[in-house]
Amino acid sequence: MHCRSASWSLTGSFYVFSCPEELFFTEEKELSSKNRRFSSTMLPTTSPQNGSLSARDAARHTAGAKRYKYLRRLLHFKAMDFEFAVWQMLYLFTSPQRVYRNFHYRKQTKDQWARDDPAFLVLLSIWLCVSTVGFGLVLDMGFVETLKLLLWVVFIDCIGVGLLISTLMWFITNKYLLKPPSKDYDVEWGYAFDVHLNAFYPLLVILHFLQLFFINHIVVINSDWFLGYFVGNSLWLTAISYYLYITFLGYNALPQLQNTVVLLYPFALLVLLYILSLSLGWNFTKGLCWFYKYRVQ
């Protein structure tokens, strides 16, 4: 090895040849080997070395145990990480891929894809309640009508429809999109519900919050003129596009699934419906306002 900064030193009655560069490379190799040993011992694994979980670990990773842990944390606000939940909500708009990379990390550390912290669900519920009250004010509803609307939106639109969509996607992915060798590693229902919540949040903010400022003001979406339903239908297009894309990202992140690109096919139907609505003068926001008023009568 050629050494550009070699030196000789006198040790006792012997001269010793030293090369700092060689010492640097030796220390670097030793450090890298230590890092590899540290990584191999500190990084969590999803299964033990013998390939099977102990009886205690198997009981801890059952769906019932995970559900019990999730519901138990729902009653302890101090145990929830709201700061991290807010971070996820922001990145669902700007970079949803980063949110699902965190799901992958949770699988490596806690051996589950679904959230174990209900903070995101709590914040989503608060957003839903506040935006629904805002809808009641914009539509000139009374206290009782706004309360009825809130109950409808929370228990039917959010929980009921969410459970239905999550169960449907859980069935479809496990039935038709699983890779053949991955039959023992099916999609968790809790993860399917989390994917729905992730996709539902941008839709909620766009249609239940941002749209409120345009219904009776600025461009007056709740009207029959072209600019009104153009802006309103464009907001619907953006919101549903977010929902479809984030849903695709959620299932595309699972290594046991294949052909997840089929989840993007509804985009073609969505764009066609958008063009058709502008051509025929359909106003989706006006229809939503009428439906909200009708359901609380």
Side-chain angles (χ1 to χ4, degrees):
M1 173 181 174
H2 178 68
C3 185
R4 291 174 295 180
S5 56
S7 62
W8 292 86
S9 60
L10 179 63
T11 305
S13 59
F14 298 95
Y15 282 97
V16 179
F17 177 80
S18 62
C19 178
E21 295 174 359
E22 183 178 358
L23 180 62
F24 170 77
F25 288 120
T26 303
E27 292 178 349
E28 186 181 44
K29 291 179 181 178
E30 292 178 355
L31 182 59
S32 62
S33 62
K34 290 179 180 180
N35 288 337
R36 286 194 297 268
R37 291 195 298 270
F38 175 79
S39 299
S40 62
T41 55
M42 295 300 293
L43 284 180
T45 56
T46 57
S47 59
Q49 294 180 355
N50 58 7
S52 60
L53 292 172
S54 64
R56 179 179 299 178
D57 291 335
R60 184 166 52 89
H61 288 85
T62 59
K66 294 176 182 178
R67 183 169 57 250
Y68 171 76
K69 180 181 178 181
Y70 186 87
L71 295 176
R72 184 181 61 182
R73 293 190 67 176
L74 191 61
L75 302 177
H76 297 83
F77 282 86
K78 293 183 179 180
M80 300 183 195
D81 192 350
F82 289 103
E83 182 179 355
F84 182 67
V86 171
W87 174 87
Q88 289 183 315
M89 288 181 167
L90 293 176
Y91 276 104
L92 282 173
F93 276 99
T94 59
S95 181
Q97 297 92 337
R98 298 187 63 175
V99 177
Y100 287 115
R101 281 200 293 268
N102 175 262
F103 277 77
H104 190 272
Y105 175 74
R106 184 184 301 109
K107 176 62 178 177
Q108 292 179 324
T109 56
K110 301 181 179 180
D111 197 28
Q112 72 176 61
W113 287 95
R115 288 187 177 96
D116 60 343
D117 186 352
F120 186 91
L121 178 62
V122 172
L123 292 182
L124 180 66
S125 301
I126 295 174
W127 262 102
L128 188 63
C129 293
V130 172
S131 61
T132 302
V133 172
F135 243 104
L137 295 176
V138 169
L139 299 180
D140 295 326
M141 294 184 179
F143 175 78
V144 177
E145 292 177 332
T146 303
L147 181 61
K148 289 181 180 179
L149 179 64
L150 180 62
L151 296 176
W152 269 99
V153 171
V154 171
F155 291 101
I156 303 299
D157 298 345
C158 182
I159 298 179
V161 176
L163 294 177
L164 179 62
I165 294 178
S166 302
T167 303
L168 181 63
M169 293 302 299
W170 170 77
F171 173 79
I172 292 175
T173 52
N174 284 317
K175 183 70 174 180
Y176 301 106
L177 300 182
L178 271 184
K179 296 178 181 178
S182 304
K183 294 298 182 182
D184 295 332
Y185 302 95
D186 59 347
V187 178
E188 303 172 8
W189 185 91
Y191 180 77
F193 186 66
D194 279 336
V195 170
H196 167 72
L197 293 182
N198 291 341
F200 181 73
Y201 172 70
L203 183 145
L204 171 67
V205 172
I206 294 173
L207 296 183
H208 250 238
F209 178 73
L210 182 61
Q211 189 172 222
L212 292 178
F213 300 97
F214 297 91
I215 290 181
N216 294 326
H217 304 283
I218 304 179
V219 295
V220 191
I221 294 178
N222 192 19
S223 63
D224 294 325
W225 69 316
F226 176 78
L227 184 60
Y229 59 78
F230 170 75
V231 174
N233 292 0
S234 297
L235 290 176
W236 279 83
L237 174 68
T238 304
I240 299 177
S241 296
Y242 260 112
Y243 186 91
L244 294 177
Y245 181 61
I246 294 178
T247 299
F248 160 75
L249 290 178
Y251 292 105
N252 190 58
L254 299 180
Q256 67 266 35
L257 296 184
Q258 61 182 352
N259 301 326
T260 53
V261 69
V262 300
L263 299 178
L264 295 176
Y265 290 172
F267 267 109
L269 180 61
L270 178 63
V271 173
L272 179 62
L273 183 61
Y274 172 72
I275 297 175
L276 187 63
S277 67
L278 295 181
S279 302
L280 299 178
W282 296 345
N283 191 328
F284 297 138
T285 302
K286 187 176 182 179
L288 178 66
C289 294
W290 174 85
F291 178 68
Y292 276 178
K293 290 182 178 180
Y294 173 79
R295 72 184 345 185
V296 298
Q297 289 179 357

